[in-house]
Amino acid sequence: MPEKQRKFTNGYYPSLDSDSDSYGNVDQNSVVLKRNFAGKVDSLHTKLNKIKQLKNKPDNLNSTFLLSVIADIEYEVEQLQDWVDEKDDKIEQVKIYRVAKWSSSQRKKKLSQYKEIISDIEAHGEILKLLLSICEALTEDNTIDDDNHAVRTIKQLETVWHQVWLRALEWECLLEQS
């Protein structure tokens, strides 16, 4: 286990001596994951459209469909929160002096890894936007409260997602410039 170094905030990041990357190469399951991901996005789009249709019919606001959508949204928010927390822990703060020690081949490898990470982050950003849209649609009609756990969490996740995305972009820019 690599030696840990305390960051000024509450997180821990690998020590400067560790040049290992916890991401590794993209595995062969990525095709299956992309299909599952596309199915999840399509499902969220369908749910958002159905919610918008139900908004025009006030007598349907307490339907079992809406109750199942709320449960699904809470589950999706939990999954997204776990994913964002994992990425937040794995992507280190940018350290310019560390990159200078890497060979050209190491920098190219890291650059390709960060490009893959950024595409993953942006894909999850689409899910985040859909979840935000669904929560907004549900709170407009007072179907769920603004202080609902899922609604509060998704708004916080948006901020953390942006921080993770920006940190990955910083790494990409640094590696492209070096």
Side-chain angles (χ1 to χ4, degrees):
M1 183 170 223
E3 179 183 309
K4 298 286 180 177
Q5 163 179 318
R6 182 87 171 143
K7 185 182 163 214
F8 287 112
T9 62
N10 291 334
Y12 283 91
Y13 291 93
S15 71
L16 298 177
D17 299 330
S18 170
D19 283 334
S20 66
D21 193 359
S22 56
Y23 288 105
N25 293 332
V26 178
D27 61 354
Q28 296 176 356
N29 292 329
S30 65
V31 174
V32 174
L33 292 174
K34 287 180 182 177
R35 284 189 200 135
N36 291 341
F37 190 80
K40 185 182 288 192
V41 170
D42 290 341
S43 172
L44 289 173
H45 271 294
T46 303
K47 289 176 184 173
L48 178 60
N49 291 334
K50 286 184 179 180
I51 289 171
K52 288 179 179 179
Q53 290 172 357
L54 286 177
K55 285 172 64 171
N56 298 331
K57 302 174 186 175
D59 54 331
N60 290 332
L61 287 179
N62 292 323
S63 70
T64 55
F65 170 75
L66 280 178
L67 296 176
S68 69
V69 166
I70 292 170
D72 290 346
I73 295 307
E74 289 173 351
Y75 175 76
E76 291 296 335
V77 167
E78 284 179 27
Q79 294 295 314
L80 188 61
Q81 183 172 15
D82 291 343
W83 179 87
V84 167
D85 289 344
E86 177 187 329
K87 293 298 178 190
D88 191 30
D89 288 342
K90 284 186 177 181
I91 299 175
E92 298 178 22
Q93 297 296 322
V94 175
K95 298 171 185 160
I96 297 171
Y97 54 87
R98 189 169 175 203
V99 174
K101 296 179 184 179
W102 293 341
S103 68
S104 176
S105 63
Q106 284 178 313
R107 282 186 285 227
K108 287 179 184 177
K109 180 181 174 187
K110 296 282 187 183
L111 179 61
S112 67
Q113 289 172 343
Y114 275 106
K115 285 186 179 196
E116 183 69 29
I117 292 166
I118 289 169
S119 67
D120 187 31
I121 291 170
E122 289 172 347
H124 278 81
E126 187 175 350
I127 289 179
L128 177 69
K129 286 189 274 186
L130 285 169
L131 289 172
L132 280 166
S133 298
I134 291 171
C135 286
E136 283 178 16
L138 291 172
T139 55
E140 283 176 1
D141 293 343
N142 294 326
T143 306
I144 58 174
D145 296 329
D146 285 337
D147 61 345
N148 178 287
H149 177 70
V151 174
R152 284 191 324 250
T153 304
I154 197 69
K155 289 178 182 177
Q156 293 169 351
L157 277 178
E158 183 180 25
T159 302
V160 177
W161 178 89
H162 277 106
Q163 292 170 347
V164 169
W165 179 63
L166 288 172
R167 196 172 332 129
L169 285 175
E170 285 178 319
W171 271 110
E172 181 185 33
C173 289
L174 176 63
L175 290 167
E176 285 177 346
Q177 302 236 339
S178 61

